[in-house]
Amino acid sequence: MVHAVPRTEAPTRRDYITAGGAVVAGGLLAGCSTGIGSDPQSTSTEATATQERSYSVEMAPVGEVEFDGVPETWVANNGSWADMGVALGLEPPKGVWLTSRYHTQYYDEVPGVSVDKSEMVSLYQDGVSKELFFELDGDVHVIDPNFLMNRFKGWDQSDVDEIVENVGPFFGNCIYAQHFPWHEDYRYYNLYEGFEKLAQVFQRTDRYEAFEALHDDFRSNLAPVVPGQTDRPAVAVLWGVGDEPEESYPYIVGEGTGFKHLRDLGVRDALAETNIQDFHGSRAAIDLETVLDVDPEVLMLRGYEAMTREEFQDTVVDFLRNHETASALTAVENGDVYRAGGLYQGPITNLVLTERTAGQLYDVDEELFDRQRVADIVNGEF
């Protein structure tokens, strides 16, 4: 298990060279050195200037990562990190784990912000190929390397080392859920802690600070619309299997970034008080009879974010209404079945999803965050 990605043993294209030709071994290097180091005869003044521009950022589990310049290209694990990059005004990452789960339609809620993912690549394609990492040629990989080595079969430490040494460093933490057994002995980061780290990598902490202030205002706007504990509905979060979900994967509302909107809305977790195991740990589905035993007041269903609200109602909800078992559910009878939001949330998508869910659960119909302010921050006009 990675706790600090090892430093390179030999010069690579990511290294830069001092006047004497020795590799600077101050940490994991990334980014472009604007030509310094490409010529062994570089002067000591040029080398010193490069060193002065270098900086380092620390994150568990990769440790201290040194950059010899701001990364220009990057690869992200998922939509959480990709959305952070959008908030920082960056070009989108070249690849994410699954492009289908990076829901760029959320940006439609913010005039002046859009993302074209037509050329973005899915890292997972019936496995994850090292060759794909070489092809993408990212200056930095915003991915927890332990995710690559533990989430599926195929990668080990030597594969991680090869990418670090020949392409670029890993800098990431698997923050979207907190039920992974391989993540128990190093820290998680909440959404804004991770966002701040990424801002430091790309040297855009001013945008991070602006978003942090916006988020504080959003939380202030949200507080009055969240009812007292006894008036909050008991919600079950499930990932439906197909458009006619006779089975689903159960999710306990945890501390990961994928549940931030539900935590901020103070929902009562109907599954947390049962013996049903969270999907991240069990990898097991439950049937509708099991859901009926719990009988939550509200069903929040994941896996349907590619659908519009109308499409979701006409397919998934319509199926549940006409199913012998599902139709007996309180949530189905009362019309309280909703899309739960994507599993991967960054600062922008979290604002959109929290506001949407506040409308679903608490009948809030006003805007809770300033769209123009979001667009201004993204575009550097703040």
Side-chain angles (χ1 to χ4, degrees):
M1 179 177 291
V2 168
H3 293 280
V5 179
R7 299 174 180 177
T8 56
E9 296 294 334
T12 72
R13 72 179 186 83
R14 302 290 179 187
D15 297 327
Y16 61 89
I17 301 174
T18 65
V23 176
V24 176
L28 301 174
L29 304 183
C32 300
S33 57
T34 61
I36 296 175
S38 59
D39 180 358
Q41 303 303 317
S42 296
T43 68
S44 58
T45 301
E46 290 172 323
T48 301
T50 302
Q51 289 172 322
E52 289 175 350
R53 289 198 301 271
S54 69
Y55 58 94
S56 63
V57 186
E58 183 274 334
M59 172 176 267
V62 297
E64 197 82 13
V65 179
E66 185 171 344
F67 297 87
D68 66 358
V70 179
E72 295 181 0
T73 60
W74 63 303
V75 175
N77 187 7
N78 55 49
S80 297
W81 296 105
D83 185 66
M84 294 179 203
V86 173
L88 294 173
L90 302 176
E91 289 296 315
K94 289 187 170 185
V96 295
W97 191 254
L98 290 171
T99 58
S100 62
R101 293 187 184 176
Y102 177 29
H103 300 294
T104 55
Q105 70 270 19
Y106 295 144
Y107 302 122
D108 295 343
E109 294 293 321
V110 185
V113 177
S114 63
V115 172
D116 180 4
K117 65 173 185 177
S118 60
E119 296 185 6
M120 194 176 294
V121 174
S122 290
L123 301 179
Y124 185 85
Q125 301 177 20
D126 192 27
V128 180
S129 164
K130 283 190 297 183
E131 287 71 23
L132 181 57
F133 277 75
F134 280 93
E135 291 173 13
L136 294 175
D137 196 29
D139 290 332
V140 64
H141 307 98
V142 186
I143 302 171
D144 187 335
N146 285 313
F147 184 87
L148 284 170
M149 293 188 290
N150 291 276
R151 181 60 180 80
F152 73 102
K153 296 180 180 179
W155 281 55
D156 58 26
Q157 184 65 58
S158 64
D159 298 307
V160 171
D161 294 345
E162 183 178 351
I163 298 303
V164 170
E165 292 166 4
N166 297 288
V167 186
F170 285 87
F171 184 91
N173 185 293
C174 192
I175 63 176
Y176 70 89
Q178 297 193 7
H179 299 281
F180 297 112
W182 44 265
H183 204 324
E184 292 175 350
D185 59 349
Y186 61 96
R187 67 169 292 189
Y188 284 87
Y189 295 81
N190 66 33
L191 192 154
Y192 274 78
E193 288 171 340
F195 186 24
E196 183 176 23
K197 293 289 188 181
L198 194 67
Q200 291 169 359
V201 168
F202 286 99
Q203 299 286 278
R204 296 198 175 192
T205 54
D206 54 347
R207 280 179 171 86
Y208 162 76
E209 291 167 356
F211 255 100
E212 186 181 37
L214 184 152
H215 181 249
D216 288 342
D217 291 344
F218 174 66
R219 293 289 297 273
S220 296
N221 293 338
L222 192 63
V225 308
V226 177
Q229 183 70 31
T230 56
D231 295 324
R232 301 172 194 172
V235 174
V237 181
L238 306 171
W239 191 300
V241 179
D243 292 350
E244 298 182 351
E246 294 196 348
E247 289 189 326
S248 55
Y249 302 117
Y251 284 80
I252 305 299
V253 177
E255 293 299 317
T257 59
F259 301 98
K260 175 173 164 51
H261 63 313
L262 298 176
R263 292 195 308 274
D264 287 351
L265 290 167
V267 301
R268 293 162 49 210
D269 186 353
L271 299 180
E273 299 176 359
T274 72
N275 293 323
I276 296 173
Q277 300 298 305
D278 183 85
F279 173 69
H280 286 301
S282 69
R283 315 305 292 179
I286 59 175
D287 57 24
L288 285 168
E289 286 75 13
T290 302
V291 179
L292 184 58
D293 288 340
V294 179
D295 197 22
E297 296 173 79
V298 176
L299 278 178
M300 301 293 292
L301 301 183
R302 281 192 153 142
Y304 303 106
E305 292 304 303
M307 293 182 177
T308 65
R309 178 183 178 278
E310 292 73 21
E311 290 169 340
F312 177 71
Q313 291 289 326
D314 292 343
T315 53
V316 179
V317 176
D318 190 62
F319 166 77
L320 296 174
R321 288 195 190 109
N322 292 289
H323 189 278
E324 181 179 2
T325 302
S327 60
L329 288 164
T330 298
V332 175
E333 290 178 341
N334 294 339
D336 287 320
V337 181
Y338 308 107
R339 292 169 298 156
L343 188 60
Y344 308 125
Q345 295 180 41
I348 302 175
T349 53
N350 172 254
L351 294 172
V352 172
L353 288 175
T354 307
E355 184 182 272
R356 186 181 88 182
T357 309
Q360 294 165 342
L361 298 181
Y362 305 138
D363 297 322
V364 178
D365 59 5
E366 70 264 26
E367 291 188 354
L368 297 175
F369 68 96
D370 186 336
R371 268 84 168 150
Q372 187 58 52
R373 188 176 170 191
V374 171
D376 289 345
I377 297 171
V378 170
N379 293 314
E381 301 170 352
F382 58 96

